[in-house]
Coordinates of all heavy atoms in Angstrom, one line a residue:
L127 N -0.3 -5.5 -7.6 CA -1.8 -5.2 -7.7 C -2.0 -3.8 -8.1 O -3.0 -3.5 -8.9 CB -2.5 -5.5 -6.3 CG -2.5 -7.0 -6.0 CD1 -2.9 -7.2 -4.5 CD2 -3.5 -7.8 -6.9
L128 N -1.3 -2.9 -7.6 CA -1.4 -1.5 -7.9 C -1.1 -1.2 -9.4 O -1.8 -0.5 -10.1 CB -0.5 -0.6 -7.0 CG -0.4 0.9 -7.3 CD1 -1.8 1.5 -7.1 CD2 0.6 1.6 -6.4
E129 N 0.0 -1.9 -9.9 CA 0.3 -1.7 -11.3 C -0.7 -2.3 -12.2 O -0.9 -1.9 -13.3 CB 1.7 -2.4 -11.5 CG 2.8 -1.7 -10.9 CD 3.0 -0.3 -11.4 OE1 3.1 -0.1 -12.7 OE2 3.1 0.7 -10.6
K130 N -1.5 -3.3 -11.7 CA -2.5 -4.0 -12.5 C -3.8 -3.3 -12.3 O -4.8 -3.8 -12.9 CB -2.6 -5.5 -12.1 CG -1.4 -6.3 -12.5 CD -1.6 -7.7 -12.1 CE -0.4 -8.6 -12.4 NZ -0.5 -10.0 -12.0
D131 N -3.9 -2.2 -11.6 CA -5.1 -1.5 -11.3 C -6.2 -2.3 -10.5 O -7.3 -2.0 -10.6 CB -5.7 -0.9 -12.6 CG -5.0 0.3 -13.2 OD1 -4.3 1.0 -12.4 OD2 -5.0 0.5 -14.4
S132 N -5.7 -3.3 -9.8 CA -6.6 -4.0 -8.9 C -6.6 -3.2 -7.6 O -6.0 -3.6 -6.6 CB -6.1 -5.4 -8.7 OG -6.0 -6.2 -9.9
L133 N -7.3 -2.1 -7.6 CA -7.1 -1.1 -6.6 C -7.6 -1.5 -5.2 O -6.9 -1.2 -4.2 CB -7.7 0.3 -7.0 CG -7.1 0.8 -8.3 CD1 -7.8 2.1 -8.7 CD2 -5.6 1.0 -8.2
D134 N -8.8 -2.1 -5.1 CA -9.3 -2.5 -3.8 C -8.4 -3.5 -3.2 O -8.1 -3.4 -2.0 CB -10.7 -3.1 -4.0 CG -11.7 -2.0 -4.3 OD1 -11.5 -0.8 -3.9 OD2 -12.7 -2.3 -5.0
L135 N -7.9 -4.5 -3.9 CA -7.0 -5.5 -3.4 C -5.7 -4.9 -3.0 O -5.1 -5.2 -2.0 CB -6.8 -6.6 -4.4 CG -8.0 -7.5 -4.7 CD1 -7.7 -8.5 -5.8 CD2 -8.4 -8.3 -3.4
A136 N -5.2 -3.9 -3.8 CA -3.9 -3.2 -3.5 C -4.0 -2.5 -2.2 O -3.1 -2.5 -1.4 CB -3.5 -2.3 -4.7
I137 N -5.2 -1.8 -2.1 CA -5.4 -1.0 -0.8 C -5.4 -1.9 0.4 O -4.7 -1.6 1.4 CB -6.7 -0.2 -0.9 CG1 -6.5 1.0 -1.9 CG2 -7.1 0.3 0.4 CD1 -7.8 1.7 -2.3
E138 N -6.1 -3.0 0.3 CA -6.1 -4.0 1.4 C -4.8 -4.5 1.8 O -4.4 -4.6 2.9 CB -7.1 -5.1 1.0 CG -7.2 -6.2 2.1 CD -8.2 -7.3 1.7 OE1 -8.9 -7.1 0.7 OE2 -8.2 -8.4 2.3
E139 N -4.0 -4.8 0.8 CA -2.6 -5.4 1.0 C -1.7 -4.3 1.5 O -1.0 -4.5 2.5 CB -2.1 -5.9 -0.4 CG -0.8 -6.7 -0.3 CD -1.0 -8.1 0.2 OE1 -2.2 -8.6 0.1 OE2 0.0 -8.8 0.5
L140 N -1.7 -3.1 0.9 CA -0.8 -2.1 1.3 C -1.1 -1.5 2.7 O -0.2 -1.1 3.4 CB -0.7 -1.0 0.2 CG -0.1 -1.5 -1.1 CD1 -0.4 -0.4 -2.2 CD2 1.4 -1.7 -1.0
E141 N -2.3 -1.5 3.0 CA -2.7 -1.0 4.4 C -2.1 -1.8 5.5 O -1.6 -1.3 6.5 CB -4.2 -1.0 4.5 CG -4.9 0.2 4.0 CD -6.4 0.2 4.2 OE1 -7.0 -0.9 4.4 OE2 -7.1 1.2 4.1
I142 N -2.0 -3.1 5.3 CA -1.5 -4.0 6.2 C 0.0 -3.7 6.4 O 0.5 -3.6 7.5 CB -1.7 -5.5 5.8 CG1 -3.2 -5.8 5.8 CG2 -0.9 -6.4 6.7 CD1 -3.5 -7.2 5.2
H143 N 0.7 -3.6 5.3 CA 2.2 -3.5 5.3 C 2.6 -2.1 5.8 O 3.6 -1.9 6.5 CB 2.8 -3.8 3.9 CG 2.6 -5.2 3.5 ND1 2.7 -6.3 4.3 CD2 2.1 -5.7 2.3 CE1 2.4 -7.4 3.6 NE2 2.1 -7.0 2.4
A144 N 1.8 -1.1 5.4 CA 2.1 0.3 5.9 C 2.0 0.4 7.4 O 2.8 1.0 8.1 CB 1.1 1.3 5.2
D145 N 1.0 -0.3 8.0 CA 0.9 -0.3 9.4 C 1.9 -1.2 10.1 O 2.5 -0.8 11.1 CB -0.5 -0.8 9.8 CG -0.8 -0.8 11.3 OD1 -0.7 0.3 11.9 OD2 -1.0 -1.9 11.8
E146 N 2.1 -2.4 9.6 CA 3.0 -3.4 10.2 C 4.5 -2.9 10.2 O 5.2 -3.1 11.1 CB 2.9 -4.7 9.5 CG 3.8 -5.8 10.1 CD 3.6 -7.2 9.4 OE1 2.8 -7.3 8.5 OE2 4.3 -8.1 9.9
F147 N 4.9 -2.3 9.1 CA 6.3 -1.8 8.9 C 6.5 -0.3 9.0 O 7.4 0.2 8.3 CB 6.9 -2.4 7.7 CG 6.9 -3.9 7.7 CD1 6.0 -4.7 6.9 CD2 7.9 -4.6 8.5 CE1 6.1 -6.1 7.0 CE2 7.9 -6.0 8.5 CZ 7.0 -6.7 7.8
N148 N 5.6 0.3 9.7 CA 5.7 1.8 9.8 C 7.1 2.2 10.4 O 7.5 1.6 11.4 CB 4.6 2.3 10.8 CG 4.6 3.8 10.9 OD1 4.9 4.5 9.9 ND2 4.3 4.3 12.0
G149 N 7.8 3.1 9.7 CA 9.1 3.5 10.1 C 10.2 2.9 9.3 O 11.3 3.4 9.4
Y150 N 9.9 1.7 8.7 CA 10.9 1.1 7.9 C 10.7 1.5 6.4 O 9.6 2.0 6.0 CB 10.8 -0.4 8.0 CG 11.2 -1.0 9.3 CD1 10.3 -1.2 10.3 CD2 12.6 -1.2 9.6 CE1 10.6 -1.7 11.6 CE2 12.9 -1.7 10.9 CZ 12.0 -1.9 11.8 OH 12.3 -2.4 13.1
T151 N 11.7 1.3 5.6 CA 11.7 1.8 4.2 C 10.4 1.2 3.5 O 9.7 1.9 2.9 CB 12.9 1.3 3.5 OG1 14.1 1.9 4.1 CG2 12.9 1.8 2.0
G152 N 10.3 -0.1 3.7 CA 9.1 -0.8 3.0 C 7.8 -0.3 3.4 O 6.8 -0.2 2.7
G153 N 7.7 0.0 4.7 CA 6.4 0.6 5.3 C 6.1 1.9 4.7 O 4.9 2.2 4.4
E154 N 7.1 2.8 4.5 CA 6.9 4.1 3.9 C 6.5 4.0 2.4 O 5.7 4.7 1.9 CB 8.1 5.0 4.1 CG 8.5 5.2 5.6 CD 7.3 5.8 6.4 OE1 6.7 6.8 5.9 OE2 7.0 5.3 7.5
V155 N 7.2 3.0 1.7 CA 6.9 2.8 0.3 C 5.5 2.2 0.2 O 4.7 2.6 -0.7 CB 7.9 1.8 -0.3 CG1 7.4 1.4 -1.7 CG2 9.3 2.4 -0.4
A156 N 5.1 1.4 1.2 CA 3.7 0.8 1.1 C 2.7 2.0 1.3 O 1.6 2.0 0.6 CB 3.5 -0.2 2.3
Q157 N 3.0 2.9 2.2 CA 2.1 4.1 2.4 C 2.0 4.9 1.1 O 0.9 5.4 0.8 CB 2.5 4.9 3.6 CG 1.5 5.9 4.1 CD 1.8 6.3 5.5 OE1 2.5 5.7 6.2 NE2 1.2 7.5 5.8
F158 N 3.1 5.1 0.5 CA 3.2 5.9 -0.8 C 2.3 5.1 -1.9 O 1.5 5.8 -2.6 CB 4.6 6.0 -1.3 CG 4.7 6.7 -2.6 CD1 4.5 8.1 -2.7 CD2 5.0 6.0 -3.8 CE1 4.6 8.7 -3.9 CE2 5.1 6.7 -5.0 CZ 4.9 8.0 -5.1
G159 N 2.5 3.8 -1.9 CA 1.7 3.0 -2.9 C 0.2 3.1 -2.5 O -0.7 3.1 -3.4
L160 N -0.1 3.1 -1.2 CA -1.5 3.2 -0.8 C -2.1 4.5 -1.2 O -3.2 4.6 -1.7 CB -1.5 3.1 0.8 CG -2.9 3.1 1.4 CD1 -3.8 2.0 1.0 CD2 -2.7 3.0 3.0
A161 N -1.3 5.6 -1.1 CA -1.8 6.9 -1.5 C -2.0 6.9 -3.0 O -3.0 7.5 -3.5 CB -0.8 8.0 -1.1
S162 N -1.2 6.2 -3.8 CA -1.3 6.1 -5.2 C -2.6 5.4 -5.6 O -3.3 5.8 -6.5 CB -0.1 5.4 -5.8 OG 1.1 6.1 -5.5
A163 N -2.9 4.3 -4.8 CA -4.1 3.6 -5.1 C -5.4 4.4 -4.8 O -6.3 4.4 -5.6 CB -4.1 2.3 -4.2
Y164 N -5.3 5.2 -3.7 CA -6.5 6.1 -3.4 C -6.6 7.1 -4.6 O -7.8 7.4 -5.0 CB -6.3 6.8 -2.1 CG -6.5 5.9 -0.9 CD1 -5.6 5.9 0.2 CD2 -7.7 5.1 -0.8 CE1 -5.8 5.1 1.3 CE2 -7.9 4.3 0.4 CZ -6.9 4.3 1.4 OH -7.2 3.6 2.5
F165 N -5.5 7.6 -5.0 CA -5.6 8.6 -6.1 C -6.2 8.0 -7.3 O -7.0 8.7 -8.0 CB -4.2 9.2 -6.4 CG -4.2 10.3 -7.4 CD1 -4.4 11.6 -7.0 CD2 -3.9 10.0 -8.7 CE1 -4.4 12.6 -8.0 CE2 -3.9 11.0 -9.7 CZ -4.2 12.3 -9.3

């Protein structure tokens, strides 16, 4: 979704994963992707 510039949907999706998997590799990547979407 981020790559397709569907930013609101990407933020919604990545917020969930960043919170659910905080501390795991994927959770940190989700947070990075979330920051990218906000940017």
